[in-house]
Every structure is written in structure tokens, then in C-alpha cells.
Amino acid sequence: MSSLFDCRDQSQLLAGMRQARQAVGRGDLVVVPTDTVYGIAADAFSASAVQRLLEAKGRGRQSPPPVLVAGVNTLRALVSEVPPAVEDLVEEFWPGGLTIVLPSQPSLSWDLGDTRGTVAVRMPAHRLTLELLEETGPLAVSSANLTGKPAAVTVLDAMNMLGGSVSTYLDDGPSATGVASTIVDATSLVVGPEPVVRVLREGAIPRARLREVLGDLLEADEVDDADGQTGPESGGDS
């Protein structure tokens, strides 16, 4: 049976955080608030827990979840290299709504799905989730919705879609923005023949802000062939 805790109530907060930590330790799923949308979380180093996360969302291994971390030091432990341009992105946008894809550390013993040797990492700007991450270590986290459905911006949205597949739900009120993170692929800065950062999904961080930090390392903006104007910005799952 699932448990729901209103983390705006101090007595429920302490009990909820304790139960969430225990659930992660058992390999169960928890729903957590973030600065973007609510996320469904599992121990990133438990292959069975990650598989349960994918099944709860109705996803296959071809859609591996991102990993949330409590800080830059954990990022360094999870990826093979942090290029200077990624250091700049992290300094400017973390904690916050930017997910960065990099080659994963080959020595790590984990199975997030069909990652092709990469991992997508983000540090969320949410005090409760950061506190949980400090205690549990990296969590595989995807938006707390069924695949194809709108992202959950309240805990009740998540409960209505995920139900009993989740052990513990932490409620901290409606999401501040309801806009999923921007995802960028920086793998070519490490292993590619031509260094470029690609925007896989535009969300909380606009392309123009990325350009301010990356300059020409950011892929060229899309251009409408008909009139030569820059195409519409793409929108964006956590």
C-alpha cells in the first residue's frame, strides 16, 4: 500500500523523508517534488529498481531515465570526463532545470537501460530532493507520469497515474514551474570528432541562455528554409 506525506507539515516531513529513504534502500519507487515537475525515483545502482521504474511508466529499456545528483562531485564520479564547457554550464545553471548527457564512467556497476555508454545527469533546485539525494546517493528519476501523458505538476497527478506501483509519495505542493528540464547532449565534447553541444529537448532553460554560455559550441539554431528565419523553439519528460 502506498503512503502519502505532506512535506509542508513538519511532522509529516520527518516521517516521509525517513520512509522515502527506507523505500529507496529496499529497491522500491518513490515520487518526489523537484523544481521542474514531480519525479518517480529509484536507486540508480539497483537494476531491478530501475526496471520497476520503467515498467511503472510504461517504458522500455530504450528510454533510460536520467540520474539526479546532490552536487558536482557526484557528477564527476558518474561520468568519464567533465569538459570545461560543461563546467561552465554547471556553474551557470545548477542546481536547476538543465540535464546534461555525457559518457558514463565505464567502471560503474549499474544498468539504467540502453544508454549506449552515456548518462543524463541533473542537480535539481529543490531542498527536499537534494536532502534525499545526500542520504541515498544518485537516483534514477523520470517524470512521474505514464508515458504519453502530461507530466505531473502535483502529487495527486502522479498518484492518479502511478497508483500502487510507488511505495512513497512526497507532497510539497504544486511544482514551481511545471516545465520539464532542458536536455543537452555534450558527449561529442569528450569523444566526438567535432565538439558540439546538441539540444535534445528545450524546456526550463531556453536555447538563448545556453548560447550565452556556450557560444559557437552550441549547435546552430534551426532555420526555416522558406524565409531564412530561425525556427520555433522546441518544447519538452524530467
Side-chain angles (χ1 to χ4, degrees), residues 117-131:
T118 66
V119 61
V121 188
R122 183 169 88 88
M123 180 184 180
H126 195 286
R127 57 187 178 83
L128 296 183
T129 302
L130 286 174
E131 180 180 333

Side-chain angles (χ1 to χ4, degrees):
M1 181 176 178
S2 302
S3 299
L4 169 64
F5 296 90
D6 186 343
C7 294
R8 295 164 293 185
D9 180 324
Q10 189 65 22
S11 62
Q12 292 193 48
L13 168 62
L14 296 176
M17 293 293 281
R18 180 175 62 252
Q19 186 155 319
R21 290 194 301 270
Q22 293 171 346
V24 171
R26 292 193 306 269
D28 289 341
L29 306 179
V30 300
V31 160
V32 297
T34 79
D35 50 317
T36 56
V37 296
Y38 274 79
I40 179 173
D43 180 356
F45 290 96
S46 169
S48 59
V50 172
Q51 183 60 35
R52 279 193 285 276
L53 184 156
L54 294 174
E55 291 172 354
K57 284 182 60 75
R59 274 188 171 182
R61 287 175 53 81
Q62 73 279 5
S63 300
V67 174
L68 295 192
V69 298
V72 179
N73 286 340
T74 309
L75 167 70
R76 299 187 197 284
L78 297 182
V79 303
S80 64
E81 182 183 330
V82 181
V86 172
E87 297 270 12
D88 293 340
L89 288 174
V90 166
E91 182 176 353
E92 183 69 23
F93 299 117
W94 277 17
L98 181 66
T99 300
I100 304 171
V101 180
L102 284 166
S104 59
Q105 176 59 250
S107 64
L108 291 176
S109 176
W110 61 359
D111 184 3
L112 298 171
D114 298 335
T115 64
R116 299 182 181 179
T118 66
V119 61
V121 188
R122 183 169 88 88
M123 180 184 180
H126 195 286
R127 57 187 178 83
L128 296 183
T129 302
L130 286 174
E131 180 180 333
L132 185 63
L133 289 163
E134 289 279 6
E135 297 174 343
T136 63
L139 293 175
V141 181
S142 186
S143 54
N145 58 289
L146 295 175
T147 297
K149 300 293 185 181
V153 295
T154 69
V155 75
L156 292 181
D157 290 340
M159 292 187 76
N160 288 337
M161 286 185 277
L162 301 174
S165 64
V166 172
S167 170
T168 304
Y169 289 86
L170 300 181
D171 181 10
D172 195 42
S175 300
T177 66
V179 179
S181 68
T182 292
I183 303 176
V184 298
D185 182 354
T187 56
S188 72
L189 301 185
V190 179
V191 298
E194 181 180 351
V196 66
V197 177
R198 296 188 300 118
V199 179
L200 302 183
R201 180 187 70 198
E202 190 164 352
I205 307 300
R207 184 183 291 263
R209 293 284 289 114
L210 297 173
R211 178 76 66 194
E212 291 174 4
V213 175
L214 294 171
D216 290 341
L217 280 178
L218 185 67
E219 65 181 352
D221 295 333
E222 293 182 3
V223 175
D224 187 330
D225 291 338
D227 57 14
Q229 300 298 311
T230 299
E233 296 177 344
S234 58
D237 170 69
S238 171

